[in-house]
mmCIF file of all heavy atoms in Angstrom:
data_model
loop_
_atom_site.group_PDB
_atom_site.id
_atom_site.type_symbol
_atom_site.label_atom_id
_atom_site.label_comp_id
_atom_site.label_asym_id
_atom_site.label_seq_id
_atom_site.Cartn_x
_atom_site.Cartn_y
_atom_site.Cartn_z
ATOM 1 N N LYS A 1 0.825 -1.210 0.000
ATOM 2 C CA LYS A 1 0.000 0.000 0.000
ATOM 3 C C LYS A 1 0.857 1.257 0.000
ATOM 4 O O LYS A 1 0.445 2.307 -0.509
ATOM 5 C CB LYS A 1 -0.933 0.000 1.207
ATOM 6 C CG LYS A 1 -1.948 -1.124 1.216
ATOM 7 C CD LYS A 1 -2.755 -1.128 2.516
ATOM 8 C CE LYS A 1 -3.712 -2.303 2.584
ATOM 9 N NZ LYS A 1 -4.450 -2.358 3.880
ATOM 10 N N VAL A 2 2.030 1.162 0.591
ATOM 11 C CA VAL A 2 2.963 2.285 0.604
ATOM 12 C C VAL A 2 3.631 2.456 -0.758
ATOM 13 O O VAL A 2 3.738 3.569 -1.291
ATOM 14 C CB VAL A 2 4.042 2.082 1.692
ATOM 15 C CG1 VAL A 2 5.125 3.144 1.591
ATOM 16 C CG2 VAL A 2 3.419 2.083 3.075
ATOM 17 N N ILE A 3 4.067 1.346 -1.357
ATOM 18 C CA ILE A 3 4.905 1.391 -2.555
ATOM 19 C C ILE A 3 4.121 1.684 -3.827
ATOM 20 O O ILE A 3 4.563 2.477 -4.677
ATOM 21 C CB ILE A 3 5.682 0.065 -2.687
ATOM 22 C CG1 ILE A 3 6.721 -0.039 -1.561
ATOM 23 C CG2 ILE A 3 6.351 -0.064 -4.050
ATOM 24 C CD1 ILE A 3 7.372 -1.396 -1.445
ATOM 25 N N ARG A 4 2.984 1.059 -3.991
ATOM 26 C CA ARG A 4 2.254 1.167 -5.263
ATOM 27 C C ARG A 4 1.959 2.598 -5.696
ATOM 28 O O ARG A 4 2.122 2.934 -6.887
ATOM 29 C CB ARG A 4 0.956 0.361 -5.189
ATOM 30 C CG ARG A 4 1.162 -1.146 -5.319
ATOM 31 C CD ARG A 4 -0.146 -1.881 -5.143
ATOM 32 N NE ARG A 4 0.027 -3.325 -5.207
ATOM 33 C CZ ARG A 4 -0.784 -4.191 -4.619
ATOM 34 N NH1 ARG A 4 -1.818 -3.750 -3.903
ATOM 35 N NH2 ARG A 4 -0.576 -5.481 -4.723
ATOM 36 N N PRO A 5 1.517 3.494 -4.804
ATOM 37 C CA PRO A 5 1.209 4.866 -5.267
ATOM 38 C C PRO A 5 2.419 5.622 -5.799
ATOM 39 O O PRO A 5 2.259 6.588 -6.561
ATOM 40 C CB PRO A 5 0.665 5.539 -3.994
ATOM 41 C CG PRO A 5 0.160 4.422 -3.150
ATOM 42 C CD PRO A 5 1.109 3.295 -3.403
ATOM 43 N N TYR A 6 3.630 5.212 -5.429
ATOM 44 C CA TYR A 6 4.831 5.897 -5.899
ATOM 45 C C TYR A 6 5.320 5.377 -7.249
ATOM 46 O O TYR A 6 6.141 6.026 -7.898
ATOM 47 C CB TYR A 6 5.966 5.719 -4.878
ATOM 48 C CG TYR A 6 5.796 6.505 -3.606
ATOM 49 C CD1 TYR A 6 5.611 5.858 -2.387
ATOM 50 C CD2 TYR A 6 5.845 7.904 -3.602
ATOM 51 C CE1 TYR A 6 5.478 6.561 -1.200
ATOM 52 C CE2 TYR A 6 5.701 8.623 -2.426
ATOM 53 C CZ TYR A 6 5.524 7.945 -1.232
ATOM 54 O OH TYR A 6 5.390 8.661 -0.063
ATOM 55 N N PHE A 7 4.850 4.201 -7.672
ATOM 56 C CA PHE A 7 5.380 3.569 -8.879
ATOM 57 C C PHE A 7 4.996 4.360 -10.117
ATOM 58 O O PHE A 7 3.836 4.691 -10.326
ATOM 59 C CB PHE A 7 4.879 2.124 -8.985
ATOM 60 C CG PHE A 7 5.467 1.364 -10.139
ATOM 61 C CD1 PHE A 7 6.825 1.086 -10.186
ATOM 62 C CD2 PHE A 7 4.668 0.931 -11.180
ATOM 63 C CE1 PHE A 7 7.374 0.381 -11.243
ATOM 64 C CE2 PHE A 7 5.198 0.215 -12.244
ATOM 65 C CZ PHE A 7 6.559 -0.051 -12.276
ATOM 66 N N ARG A 8 5.985 4.677 -10.945
ATOM 67 C CA ARG A 8 5.848 5.454 -12.176
ATOM 68 C C ARG A 8 5.286 6.851 -11.940
ATOM 69 O O ARG A 8 4.637 7.429 -12.814
ATOM 70 C CB ARG A 8 5.028 4.691 -13.219
ATOM 71 C CG ARG A 8 5.782 3.469 -13.745
ATOM 72 C CD ARG A 8 5.050 2.734 -14.849
ATOM 73 N NE ARG A 8 5.825 1.556 -15.246
ATOM 74 C CZ ARG A 8 5.339 0.556 -15.989
ATOM 75 N NH1 ARG A 8 4.091 0.596 -16.424
ATOM 76 N NH2 ARG A 8 6.101 -0.468 -16.297
ATOM 77 N N HIS A 9 5.550 7.367 -10.756
ATOM 78 C CA HIS A 9 5.304 8.767 -10.450
ATOM 79 C C HIS A 9 6.649 9.408 -10.113
ATOM 80 O O HIS A 9 7.577 8.729 -9.684
ATOM 81 C CB HIS A 9 4.329 8.926 -9.281
ATOM 82 C CG HIS A 9 2.922 8.600 -9.631
ATOM 83 N ND1 HIS A 9 2.485 7.307 -9.820
ATOM 84 C CD2 HIS A 9 1.837 9.395 -9.869
ATOM 85 C CE1 HIS A 9 1.196 7.309 -10.135
ATOM 86 N NE2 HIS A 9 0.781 8.558 -10.171
ATOM 87 N N SER A 10 6.747 10.683 -10.321
ATOM 88 C CA SER A 10 7.996 11.379 -10.053
ATOM 89 C C SER A 10 8.362 11.232 -8.582
ATOM 90 O O SER A 10 7.588 11.605 -7.699
ATOM 91 C CB SER A 10 7.852 12.861 -10.415
ATOM 92 O OG SER A 10 9.048 13.555 -10.140
ATOM 93 N N ILE A 11 9.531 10.651 -8.321
ATOM 94 C CA ILE A 11 9.979 10.440 -6.946
ATOM 95 C C ILE A 11 11.475 10.690 -6.883
ATOM 96 O O ILE A 11 12.242 10.207 -7.717
ATOM 97 C CB ILE A 11 9.614 9.020 -6.442
ATOM 98 C CG1 ILE A 11 9.984 8.861 -4.961
ATOM 99 C CG2 ILE A 11 10.248 7.947 -7.296
ATOM 100 C CD1 ILE A 11 9.415 7.592 -4.341
ATOM 101 N N HIS A 12 11.890 11.467 -5.908
ATOM 102 C CA HIS A 12 13.299 11.819 -5.776
ATOM 103 C C HIS A 12 14.073 10.645 -5.180
ATOM 104 O O HIS A 12 13.589 9.946 -4.288
ATOM 105 C CB HIS A 12 13.450 13.044 -4.869
ATOM 106 C CG HIS A 12 14.872 13.401 -4.581
ATOM 107 N ND1 HIS A 12 15.695 13.989 -5.519
ATOM 108 C CD2 HIS A 12 15.633 13.226 -3.457
ATOM 109 C CE1 HIS A 12 16.890 14.176 -4.994
ATOM 110 N NE2 HIS A 12 16.878 13.721 -3.743
ATOM 111 N N ALA A 13 15.273 10.427 -5.688
ATOM 112 C CA ALA A 13 16.153 9.382 -5.161
ATOM 113 C C ALA A 13 17.423 10.015 -4.622
ATOM 114 O O ALA A 13 18.084 10.807 -5.312
ATOM 115 C CB ALA A 13 16.490 8.361 -6.241
ATOM 116 N N ASP A 14 17.761 9.693 -3.383
ATOM 117 C CA ASP A 14 19.024 10.116 -2.791
ATOM 118 C C ASP A 14 20.061 9.031 -3.001
ATOM 119 O O ASP A 14 19.733 7.844 -3.109
ATOM 120 C CB ASP A 14 18.849 10.362 -1.286
ATOM 121 C CG ASP A 14 17.888 11.497 -0.991
ATOM 122 O OD1 ASP A 14 17.975 12.534 -1.669
ATOM 123 O OD2 ASP A 14 17.035 11.323 -0.086
ATOM 124 N N ASP A 15 21.330 9.432 -3.039
ATOM 125 C CA ASP A 15 22.423 8.467 -3.121
ATOM 126 C C ASP A 15 22.949 8.178 -1.722
ATOM 127 O O ASP A 15 23.261 9.098 -0.963
ATOM 128 C CB ASP A 15 23.560 9.004 -3.990
ATOM 129 C CG ASP A 15 23.181 9.051 -5.459
ATOM 130 O OD1 ASP A 15 22.362 8.219 -5.878
ATOM 131 O OD2 ASP A 15 23.701 9.923 -6.179
ATOM 132 N N LYS A 16 23.057 6.878 -1.391
ATOM 133 C CA LYS A 16 23.593 6.480 -0.088
ATOM 134 C C LYS A 16 25.118 6.433 -0.139
ATOM 135 O O LYS A 16 25.730 6.727 -1.165
ATOM 136 C CB LYS A 16 23.009 5.123 0.312
ATOM 137 C CG LYS A 16 21.495 5.175 0.524
ATOM 138 C CD LYS A 16 20.962 3.926 1.190
ATOM 139 C CE LYS A 16 20.964 2.741 0.263
ATOM 140 N NZ LYS A 16 20.263 1.569 0.857
ATOM 141 N N TYR A 17 25.714 6.028 0.971
ATOM 142 C CA TYR A 17 27.181 6.012 1.076
ATOM 143 C C TYR A 17 27.831 5.143 0.005
ATOM 144 O O TYR A 17 28.950 5.399 -0.442
ATOM 145 C CB TYR A 17 27.601 5.510 2.465
ATOM 146 C CG TYR A 17 27.295 4.059 2.713
ATOM 147 C CD1 TYR A 17 28.230 3.064 2.462
ATOM 148 C CD2 TYR A 17 26.034 3.665 3.172
ATOM 149 C CE1 TYR A 17 27.943 1.724 2.662
ATOM 150 C CE2 TYR A 17 25.735 2.337 3.384
ATOM 151 C CZ TYR A 17 26.691 1.376 3.129
ATOM 152 O OH TYR A 17 26.391 0.045 3.327
ATOM 153 N N ASP A 18 27.136 4.096 -0.438
ATOM 154 C CA ASP A 18 27.683 3.198 -1.457
ATOM 155 C C ASP A 18 27.214 3.560 -2.858
ATOM 156 O O ASP A 18 27.372 2.782 -3.793
ATOM 157 C CB ASP A 18 27.318 1.752 -1.132
ATOM 158 C CG ASP A 18 25.800 1.529 -1.098
ATOM 159 O OD1 ASP A 18 25.043 2.499 -1.267
ATOM 160 O OD2 ASP A 18 25.389 0.372 -0.897
ATOM 161 N N GLU A 19 26.615 4.752 -2.995
ATOM 162 C CA GLU A 19 26.123 5.295 -4.263
ATOM 163 C C GLU A 19 24.873 4.588 -4.771
ATOM 164 O O GLU A 19 24.427 4.853 -5.884
ATOM 165 C CB GLU A 19 27.226 5.282 -5.342
ATOM 166 C CG GLU A 19 28.433 6.115 -4.970
ATOM 167 C CD GLU A 19 29.471 6.176 -6.075
ATOM 168 O OE1 GLU A 19 29.281 5.518 -7.115
ATOM 169 O OE2 GLU A 19 30.472 6.894 -5.906
ATOM 170 N N SER A 20 24.304 3.697 -3.982
ATOM 171 C CA SER A 20 23.027 3.092 -4.370
ATOM 172 C C SER A 20 21.895 4.062 -4.029
ATOM 173 O O SER A 20 21.988 4.817 -3.063
ATOM 174 C CB SER A 20 22.823 1.756 -3.656
ATOM 175 O OG SER A 20 22.734 1.948 -2.259
ATOM 176 N N PRO A 21 20.820 4.057 -4.824
ATOM 177 C CA PRO A 21 19.737 5.011 -4.590
ATOM 178 C C PRO A 21 18.773 4.560 -3.499
ATOM 179 O O PRO A 21 18.606 3.358 -3.258
ATOM 180 C CB PRO A 21 19.028 5.056 -5.947
ATOM 181 C CG PRO A 21 19.247 3.694 -6.535
ATOM 182 C CD PRO A 21 20.614 3.270 -6.058
ATOM 183 N N VAL A 22 18.141 5.526 -2.848
ATOM 184 C CA VAL A 22 17.091 5.246 -1.878
ATOM 185 C C VAL A 22 16.025 6.319 -2.031
ATOM 186 O O VAL A 22 16.323 7.481 -2.316
ATOM 187 C CB VAL A 22 17.645 5.224 -0.430
ATOM 188 C CG1 VAL A 22 18.257 6.566 -0.038
ATOM 189 C CG2 VAL A 22 16.569 4.804 0.555
ATOM 190 N N THR A 23 14.769 5.946 -1.867
ATOM 191 C CA THR A 23 13.656 6.868 -2.050
ATOM 192 C C THR A 23 12.771 6.900 -0.804
ATOM 193 O O THR A 23 12.923 6.096 0.119
ATOM 194 C CB THR A 23 12.781 6.455 -3.249
ATOM 195 O OG1 THR A 23 12.070 5.242 -2.904
ATOM 196 C CG2 THR A 23 13.612 6.218 -4.500
ATOM 197 N N LYS A 24 11.834 7.823 -0.849
ATOM 198 C CA LYS A 24 10.832 7.913 0.209
ATOM 199 C C LYS A 24 10.055 6.602 0.322
ATOM 200 O O LYS A 24 9.675 6.172 1.414
ATOM 201 C CB LYS A 24 9.889 9.064 -0.105
ATOM 202 C CG LYS A 24 8.898 9.413 0.982
ATOM 203 C CD LYS A 24 8.071 10.631 0.578
ATOM 204 C CE LYS A 24 7.079 11.002 1.675
ATOM 205 N NZ LYS A 24 6.254 12.180 1.278
ATOM 206 N N ALA A 25 9.825 5.951 -0.807
ATOM 207 C CA ALA A 25 9.089 4.685 -0.798
ATOM 208 C C ALA A 25 9.851 3.602 -0.040
ATOM 209 O O ALA A 25 9.251 2.833 0.724
ATOM 210 C CB ALA A 25 8.816 4.230 -2.232
ATOM 211 N N ASP A 26 11.185 3.527 -0.252
ATOM 212 C CA ASP A 26 12.009 2.555 0.490
ATOM 213 C C ASP A 26 11.856 2.772 1.991
ATOM 214 O O ASP A 26 11.613 1.820 2.751
ATOM 215 C CB ASP A 26 13.491 2.714 0.131
ATOM 216 C CG ASP A 26 13.824 2.431 -1.311
ATOM 217 O OD1 ASP A 26 13.571 3.291 -2.171
ATOM 218 O OD2 ASP A 26 14.353 1.344 -1.584
ATOM 219 N N ARG A 27 12.036 4.023 2.406
ATOM 220 C CA ARG A 27 12.046 4.328 3.832
ATOM 221 C C ARG A 27 10.683 4.088 4.480
ATOM 222 O O ARG A 27 10.585 3.492 5.562
ATOM 223 C CB ARG A 27 12.491 5.771 4.038
ATOM 224 C CG ARG A 27 13.930 6.053 3.576
ATOM 225 C CD ARG A 27 14.345 7.463 3.939
ATOM 226 N NE ARG A 27 15.717 7.749 3.526
ATOM 227 C CZ ARG A 27 16.039 8.551 2.515
ATOM 228 N NH1 ARG A 27 15.088 9.143 1.800
ATOM 229 N NH2 ARG A 27 17.312 8.768 2.216
ATOM 230 N N GLU A 28 9.631 4.543 3.815
ATOM 231 C CA GLU A 28 8.298 4.382 4.391
ATOM 232 C C GLU A 28 7.894 2.914 4.442
ATOM 233 O O GLU A 28 7.255 2.465 5.404
ATOM 234 C CB GLU A 28 7.284 5.190 3.596
ATOM 235 C CG GLU A 28 7.436 6.696 3.771
ATOM 236 C CD GLU A 28 6.372 7.479 3.018
ATOM 237 O OE1 GLU A 28 5.483 6.846 2.391
ATOM 238 O OE2 GLU A 28 6.419 8.718 3.055
ATOM 239 N N ALA A 29 8.248 2.162 3.410
ATOM 240 C CA ALA A 29 7.897 0.737 3.384
ATOM 241 C C ALA A 29 8.611 -0.015 4.498
ATOM 242 O O ALA A 29 8.007 -0.863 5.173
ATOM 243 C CB ALA A 29 8.239 0.131 2.028
ATOM 244 N N GLU A 30 9.897 0.281 4.708
ATOM 245 C CA GLU A 30 10.599 -0.413 5.789
ATOM 246 C C GLU A 30 10.025 -0.039 7.149
ATOM 247 O O GLU A 30 9.878 -0.902 8.025
ATOM 248 C CB GLU A 30 12.092 -0.123 5.763
ATOM 249 C CG GLU A 30 12.821 -0.879 6.872
ATOM 250 C CD GLU A 30 14.326 -0.889 6.748
ATOM 251 O OE1 GLU A 30 14.839 -0.930 5.608
ATOM 252 O OE2 GLU A 30 14.990 -0.874 7.791
ATOM 253 N N GLN A 31 9.691 1.229 7.351
ATOM 254 C CA GLN A 31 9.089 1.642 8.619
ATOM 255 C C GLN A 31 7.789 0.888 8.882
ATOM 256 O O GLN A 31 7.523 0.438 10.002
ATOM 257 C CB GLN A 31 8.827 3.140 8.602
ATOM 258 C CG GLN A 31 10.084 3.989 8.716
ATOM 259 C CD GLN A 31 9.803 5.464 8.518
ATOM 260 O OE1 GLN A 31 8.808 5.851 7.901
ATOM 261 N NE2 GLN A 31 10.676 6.307 9.057
ATOM 262 N N THR A 32 6.993 0.720 7.828
ATOM 263 C CA THR A 32 5.717 0.000 7.951
ATOM 264 C C THR A 32 5.949 -1.458 8.324
ATOM 265 O O THR A 32 5.295 -2.001 9.226
ATOM 266 C CB THR A 32 4.944 0.091 6.625
ATOM 267 O OG1 THR A 32 4.614 1.461 6.363
ATOM 268 C CG2 THR A 32 3.662 -0.729 6.676
ATOM 269 N N ILE A 33 6.891 -2.095 7.632
ATOM 270 C CA ILE A 33 7.183 -3.505 7.906
ATOM 271 C C ILE A 33 7.724 -3.679 9.317
ATOM 272 O O ILE A 33 7.294 -4.565 10.070
ATOM 273 C CB ILE A 33 8.184 -4.057 6.870
ATOM 274 C CG1 ILE A 33 7.547 -4.079 5.473
ATOM 275 C CG2 ILE A 33 8.642 -5.465 7.263
ATOM 276 C CD1 ILE A 33 8.534 -4.367 4.357
ATOM 277 N N ARG A 34 8.659 -2.826 9.705
ATOM 278 C CA ARG A 34 9.267 -2.935 11.036
ATOM 279 C C ARG A 34 8.215 -2.785 12.134
ATOM 280 O O ARG A 34 8.239 -3.504 13.148
ATOM 281 C CB ARG A 34 10.356 -1.877 11.209
ATOM 282 C CG ARG A 34 11.585 -2.085 10.366
ATOM 283 C CD ARG A 34 12.585 -0.946 10.559
ATOM 284 N NE ARG A 34 13.426 -1.228 11.712
ATOM 285 C CZ ARG A 34 14.695 -1.647 11.628
ATOM 286 N NH1 ARG A 34 15.264 -1.814 10.443
ATOM 287 N NH2 ARG A 34 15.397 -1.879 12.719
ATOM 288 N N GLN A 35 7.316 -1.854 11.954
ATOM 289 C CA GLN A 35 6.282 -1.606 12.971
ATOM 290 C C GLN A 35 5.445 -2.859 13.212
ATOM 291 O O GLN A 35 5.170 -3.237 14.357
ATOM 292 C CB GLN A 35 5.398 -0.447 12.541
ATOM 293 C CG GLN A 35 4.322 -0.091 13.549
ATOM 294 C CD GLN A 35 3.477 1.090 13.087
ATOM 295 O OE1 GLN A 35 3.670 1.623 11.989
ATOM 296 N NE2 GLN A 35 2.531 1.495 13.923
ATOM 297 N N ILE A 36 5.039 -3.518 12.140
ATOM 298 C CA ILE A 36 4.208 -4.718 12.267
ATOM 299 C C ILE A 36 5.001 -5.873 12.867
ATOM 300 O O ILE A 36 4.520 -6.581 13.761
ATOM 301 C CB ILE A 36 3.624 -5.099 10.893
ATOM 302 C CG1 ILE A 36 2.612 -4.041 10.449
ATOM 303 C CG2 ILE A 36 2.968 -6.486 10.944
ATOM 304 C CD1 ILE A 36 2.165 -4.172 9.016
ATOM 305 N N LEU A 37 6.235 -6.067 12.402
ATOM 306 C CA LEU A 37 7.048 -7.164 12.923
ATOM 307 C C LEU A 37 7.361 -6.974 14.401
ATOM 308 O O LEU A 37 7.358 -7.935 15.186
ATOM 309 C CB LEU A 37 8.340 -7.297 12.119
ATOM 310 C CG LEU A 37 8.189 -7.641 10.633
ATOM 311 C CD1 LEU A 37 9.561 -7.777 9.976
ATOM 312 C CD2 LEU A 37 7.375 -8.908 10.422
ATOM 313 N N LYS A 38 7.636 -5.742 14.805
ATOM 314 C CA LYS A 38 7.907 -5.472 16.226
ATOM 315 C C LYS A 38 6.668 -5.713 17.080
ATOM 316 O O LYS A 38 6.751 -6.231 18.194
ATOM 317 C CB LYS A 38 8.382 -4.027 16.395
ATOM 318 C CG LYS A 38 9.815 -3.790 15.990
ATOM 319 C CD LYS A 38 10.221 -2.349 16.286
ATOM 320 C CE LYS A 38 11.676 -2.106 15.952
ATOM 321 N NZ LYS A 38 12.092 -0.713 16.250
ATOM 322 N N GLN A 39 5.526 -5.338 16.543
ATOM 323 C CA GLN A 39 4.277 -5.518 17.288
ATOM 324 C C GLN A 39 3.950 -6.996 17.467
ATOM 325 O O GLN A 39 3.526 -7.428 18.551
ATOM 326 C CB GLN A 39 3.139 -4.816 16.546
ATOM 327 C CG GLN A 39 1.779 -4.958 17.213
ATOM 328 C CD GLN A 39 0.690 -4.232 16.431
ATOM 329 O OE1 GLN A 39 0.957 -3.297 15.693
ATOM 330 N NE2 GLN A 39 -0.540 -4.687 16.586
ATOM 331 N N GLU A 40 4.158 -7.790 16.422
ATOM 332 C CA GLU A 40 3.775 -9.202 16.453
ATOM 333 C C GLU A 40 4.838 -10.103 17.087
ATOM 334 O O GLU A 40 4.506 -11.137 17.665
ATOM 335 C CB GLU A 40 3.486 -9.684 15.020
ATOM 336 C CG GLU A 40 2.322 -8.978 14.348
ATOM 337 C CD GLU A 40 0.992 -9.297 14.998
ATOM 338 O OE1 GLU A 40 0.888 -10.362 15.649
ATOM 339 O OE2 GLU A 40 0.047 -8.491 14.870
#
């Protein structure tokens, strides 16, 4: 639900320390997953 709305829409990508890209979708999706796994 987090990732789909960002797909093929303009989204900024930052470069990490290893020059791999990361987006708002990456960060929000991981936060969502972590929250559920921690709760359960």
